[in-house]
Amino acid sequence: MSLLQESIIYLLAAVFMVPISRRLGFGSVLGYLAAGIIIGPFGVALIHDPEHILHFAELGVVFLLFIVGLELQPSRLWVLRKMVFGLGSAQVLVSAAAIALLALALDLDTTAAIVIGLILALSSTAFVLQMLAEKKQLTTSQGRAAFSILLFQDLAAIPLIAVLPMLGTASGSGGFDLAQAGIMALTIVVLIVGGRVLLKPVLHVAAGSKIPEIFTATALLVVIGAALLMQFAGMSMVLGAFIAGMLLADSEYRHQLEADIAPFKGLLLGLFFIAVGMSVNIGLLLDSPTRILFIVALLMVAKSLVLIALSRAFGMCDATAALKLAAVMSQGGEFAFVLFGIAGRERILSTALIDELILAVAVSLLLTPVL
């Protein structure tokens, strides 16, 4: 099948499924996932190999992390420091510990249990914020608590993305590679120092050309260049994009950069979720419904109990608001698809286990609007 034919299939699937999903109140992420499931090898099999498009679509995650970095102004973080670094960090750590203990009880090894706990502790930023906005709850106590927790989770995803390949290297070589870690650290320093010296002058020259497409091309060059630098050093591409975004968070070009990158981010991130949907083994839900639903129940109940307890302990929500917070944030997040993919490539987790966990995350997303 030619690239143009595949493109038509992806576009048709998205154009039909995403508006339907939004109309039903499930959000766009589930629409993209559903589109991928339908056209993928476990659906009607219009596309047989999702892997080749998944690698290209990961650029959507790269652009997403660049925009997250752009939005993380130090002044904004300082104002929200108590809720972000207090409630947010407590939620991630306690939820990860609870899920890891459940994984250990199910006979998984310690490393796998910890990795699973940390990944599943994250909720879906796009999904939650969209639902809260549609219900006009962003300014309520549970809305503010959810925003703070999600902001910390977005921050926490960055070190996870960076550390997972190192865990895979360590497990494959029988020890920690100090030289490789040094190269990684040096690369980060070079990116930060070089970025502070070069990024703003380069963008100033591009803006001075007064040619919009040149500024857009420069923005893409910055993001993809930083991503490739991290990849050459053996780290995840998204880490480089995130650092580049943070370096430009206080720049006068921040809003223009966000506006130029947003269309690419939206389309490629949608394609990424379609590719993930094509990888979701929906047959597992038919073959082992009890096991999958059991995993979903453990995940959502554990996170709900943690969210209710912590939101009350920090005085952020009353009892009713705490229940609403738990209902809206007990699912797995979109970063789970990225992180489980890395864990699979690095052989930290088995393919069969990853298939089950990805399906469980997808089902938890589907159940959230119902809750």
Side-chain angles (χ1 to χ4, degrees):
M1 185 180 295
S2 70
L3 180 60
L4 282 177
Q5 289 173 317
E6 284 194 11
S7 300
I8 288 292
I9 294 171
Y10 295 134
L11 291 171
L12 282 174
V15 165
F16 277 104
M17 291 306 302
V18 174
I20 292 172
S21 180
R22 289 287 297 272
R23 182 65 63 88
L24 293 175
F26 293 138
S28 57
V29 173
L30 258 172
Y32 286 120
L33 289 173
I37 290 170
I38 291 169
I39 66 175
F42 301 104
V44 296
L46 293 176
I47 306 292
H48 295 282
D49 179 22
E51 285 299 319
H52 73 286
I53 199 65
L54 185 59
H55 294 302
F56 173 72
E58 283 178 351
L59 281 174
V61 184
V62 170
F63 291 138
L64 171 64
L65 267 294
F66 177 72
I67 289 178
V68 169
L70 280 177
E71 293 174 347
L72 288 180
Q73 293 173 289
S75 57
R76 188 183 185 190
L77 281 178
W78 181 250
V79 171
L80 297 171
R81 62 191 182 279
K82 180 182 176 183
M83 293 181 71
V84 173
F85 296 103
L87 178 59
S89 62
Q91 184 276 327
V92 170
L93 293 173
V94 178
S95 295
I99 295 168
L101 288 173
L102 290 171
L104 286 171
L106 295 174
D107 291 331
L108 290 176
D109 66 75
T110 304
T111 301
I114 292 172
V115 168
I116 290 169
L118 288 169
I119 293 174
L120 293 183
L122 308 182
S123 303
S124 173
T125 300
F127 205 54
V128 171
L129 291 184
Q130 179 183 311
M131 284 193 298
L132 289 172
E134 288 172 354
K135 295 177 181 294
K136 295 181 173 57
Q137 293 182 4
L138 277 173
T139 56
T140 62
S141 57
Q142 70 267 21
R144 290 193 297 272
F147 178 80
S148 300
I149 293 170
L150 291 168
L151 184 53
F152 183 85
Q153 288 182 357
D154 287 344
L155 288 171
I158 308 306
L160 273 177
I161 289 169
V163 166
L164 281 180
M166 296 171 68
L167 287 176
T169 301
S171 62
S173 61
F176 184 73
D177 191 338
L178 187 61
Q180 182 64 26
I183 292 172
M184 291 176 178
L186 180 62
T187 304
I188 292 174
V189 171
V190 168
L191 178 59
I192 293 173
V193 174
R196 287 201 174 278
V197 173
L198 296 175
L199 284 182
K200 290 182 182 179
V202 168
L203 290 172
H204 181 72
V205 172
S209 71
K210 300 189 184 302
I211 305 174
E213 56 268 27
I214 293 300
F215 188 86
T216 302
T218 305
L220 292 173
L221 179 63
V222 167
V223 180
I224 296 174
L228 280 177
L229 182 62
M230 289 293 108
Q231 188 181 53
F232 289 149
M235 290 177 282
S236 173
M237 292 190 297
V238 299
L239 179 60
F242 176 77
I243 293 173
M246 284 196 69
L247 291 173
L248 294 168
D250 290 322
S251 165
E252 65 269 31
Y253 304 111
R254 181 170 71 91
H255 296 295
Q256 185 61 46
L257 285 166
E258 190 168 351
D260 286 348
I261 294 295
F264 297 97
K265 184 265 294 182
L267 284 172
L268 288 170
L269 199 59
L271 184 59
F272 172 78
F273 286 127
I274 289 177
V276 169
M278 290 191 290
S279 303
V280 171
N281 188 352
I282 200 68
L284 281 175
L285 188 58
L286 302 176
D287 296 337
S288 308
T290 304
R291 179 176 173 84
I292 299 301
L293 293 176
F294 177 68
I295 295 172
V296 173
L298 286 179
L299 167 65
M300 301 188 81
V301 170
K303 291 183 73 172
S304 293
L305 293 175
V306 170
L307 285 161
I308 291 170
L310 290 176
S311 61
R312 298 285 285 153
F314 277 80
M316 303 299 177
C317 301
D318 58 28
T320 302
L323 286 172
K324 291 180 179 179
L325 177 67
V328 80
M329 289 197 60
S330 59
Q331 77 291 122
E334 56 264 19
F335 277 118
F337 302 124
V338 180
L339 291 164
F340 280 133
I342 296 172
R345 287 197 297 272
E346 301 296 334
R347 299 183 181 177
I348 300 169
L349 303 174
S350 68
T351 302
L353 180 59
I354 289 173
D355 286 347
E356 291 180 343
L357 293 172
I358 285 178
L359 180 56
V361 170
V363 172
S364 72
L365 286 167
L366 181 62
L367 290 176
T368 299
V370 179
L371 292 176

